[in-house]
Amino acid sequence: MGRLDGKMALITGGAQGLGACFARMFADEGAKVAVSDVNGDGAEATAAAVNERHPGKAFAFRHDVTSTADWEAALDGAAAAMGGINVLVNNAGIGVFGNIETETMESWRKCQEVDVDSIFIGTQLAMPYLKEAAPASIVNISSVAGLIADGNMLSYNVAKASVWMMSKSIALHCARAGYDIRCNSVHPVFTRTPIIDPLVALGGGGEDGECKLTRQIPLRRLGEPEDVGYAVLYLASDESRFVTAAEIKVDGGITAQ
Ligand SMILES: NC(=O)c1ccc[n+]([C@@H]2O[C@H](COP(=O)([O-])OP(=O)(O)OC[C@H]3O[C@@H](n4cnc5c(N)ncnc54)[C@H](O)[C@@H]3O)[C@@H](O)[C@H]2O)c1
């Protein structure tokens, strides 16, 4: 028995990094996975790698999460391919640097559009699918940046805090409406994926750059994608059936300081 037997998961931003790792871990535990990404070739590659281990379990969709039409097509295609959708992992996201003096309206809007608006649009459109195939779970990938601030991450801080609060509002609505749909957020610290390359470069690159990041983390190392994957897997599974409107920090202790 896999921990995700019977689960049909749409994972956004699955071409690389965390999303690709979630797809592998989910399929290893018995789920079917629809991997979507604006990078369609990357989504195909992730699905192909999963299908090598578990033939027929993974499907790929080119999907820009800022586009309503793309959401409609991805949800429709994923539900048809998997037989429904009962797990939605809103993982696609971008990092943006800038402080109150340097941030531009353009970069601010882009960050909110990709990291926040996309989850509003997509989760609203996914609701009929999730209701149909309940019990269902929505997992939103926020960040420690949604809980603690950095002077040079203005729009990202605001975006990830919005994801944190949006997750609670969605969870409470579903609970009050009597839907068997849970919604939670996950808050990783610096985790070894391409998104942290600019941060490592800012710190001087290579091991020096990584050291500047790990020094801030009580457990003194970067996160690995699997560290986050185990939390997402738990929230997607029925093991977390009484957990909703919660936040799980996968942060090596950084937010406790
Ligand atoms: N890695 C970390 O240190 C870290 C820490 C905290 C939070 N996060 C969050 O985790 C999530 C995944 O990040 P990652 O580390 O895997 O980064 P990543 O850059 O490796 O992967 C992000 C993926 O999202 C996709 N994407 C970007 N814009 C998109 C769009 N408009 N539509 C569809 N797909 C789009 C990219 O093509 C890419 O495949 C993000 O929401 C990020 O903010 C990451």
Side-chain angles (χ1 to χ4, degrees):
M1 283 287 285
R3 293 169 65 191
L4 294 182
D5 279 348
K7 298 299 180 194
M8 302 169 286
L10 172 58
I11 301 170
T12 68
Q16 62 181 41
L18 294 183
C21 177
F22 302 159
R24 276 195 308 276
M25 291 177 78
F26 275 33
D28 283 348
E29 288 295 341
K32 290 183 191 166
V33 290
V35 181
S36 86
D37 204 289
V38 69
N39 171 3
D41 291 343
E44 293 279 357
T46 300
V50 170
N51 281 328
E52 263 184 36
R53 290 157 69 102
H54 308 287
K57 285 272 191 194
F59 309 89
F61 299 91
R62 204 212 71 86
H63 170 202
D64 179 344
V65 291
T66 66
S67 157
T68 300
D70 278 12
W71 266 108
E72 286 167 347
L75 287 163
D76 199 40
M82 298 190 292
I85 300 171
N86 51 20
V87 177
L88 173 63
V89 182
N90 285 309
N91 166 73
I94 54 169
V96 171
F97 293 116
N99 61 53
I100 187 59
E101 297 191 273
T102 62
E103 188 81 70
T104 64
M105 202 61 202
E106 194 187 2
S107 62
W108 164 276
R109 284 209 174 109
K110 180 80 184 162
C111 188
Q112 309 312 313
E113 192 187 14
V114 177
D115 290 355
V116 185
D117 300 358
S118 65
I119 299 183
F120 164 66
I121 298 168
T123 306
Q124 186 170 73
L125 290 169
M127 286 300 294
Y129 296 90
L130 299 172
K131 285 198 246 180
E132 172 88 28
S137 173
I138 302 161
V139 185
N140 293 330
I141 308 303
S142 176
S143 168
V144 291
L147 305 172
I148 53 175
D150 182 287
N152 200 35
M153 286 193 187
L154 178 69
S155 57
Y156 191 68
N157 280 146
V158 172
K160 291 303 188 180
S162 295
V163 174
W164 176 42
M165 227 12 90
M166 179 161 41
S167 305
K168 291 180 187 292
S169 181
I170 293 168
L172 290 178
H173 167 71
C174 290
R176 284 180 190 145
Y179 304 148
D180 197 352
I181 302 174
R182 299 176 295 105
C183 181
N184 297 286
S185 58
V186 173
H187 303 254
V189 75
F190 315 120
T191 303
R192 208 182 292 281
T193 74
I195 212 173
I196 66 163
D197 291 349
L199 283 171
V200 174
L202 266 181
E207 278 186 22
D208 283 353
E210 284 199 5
C211 272
K212 293 223 169 84
L213 300 181
T214 55
R215 263 208 300 273
Q216 305 170 49
I217 303 172
L219 286 181
R220 289 290 183 271
R221 69 166 174 86
L222 296 180
E224 298 297 334
E226 289 75 12
D227 296 327
V228 184
Y230 284 118
V232 176
L233 201 158
Y234 166 70
L235 290 173
S237 79
D238 294 334
E239 294 162 13
S240 58
R241 66 192 174 195
F242 198 51
V243 178
T244 198
E247 57 286 298
I248 297 191
K249 298 180 274 183
V250 186
D251 72 349
I254 198 170
T255 55
Q257 302 174 106

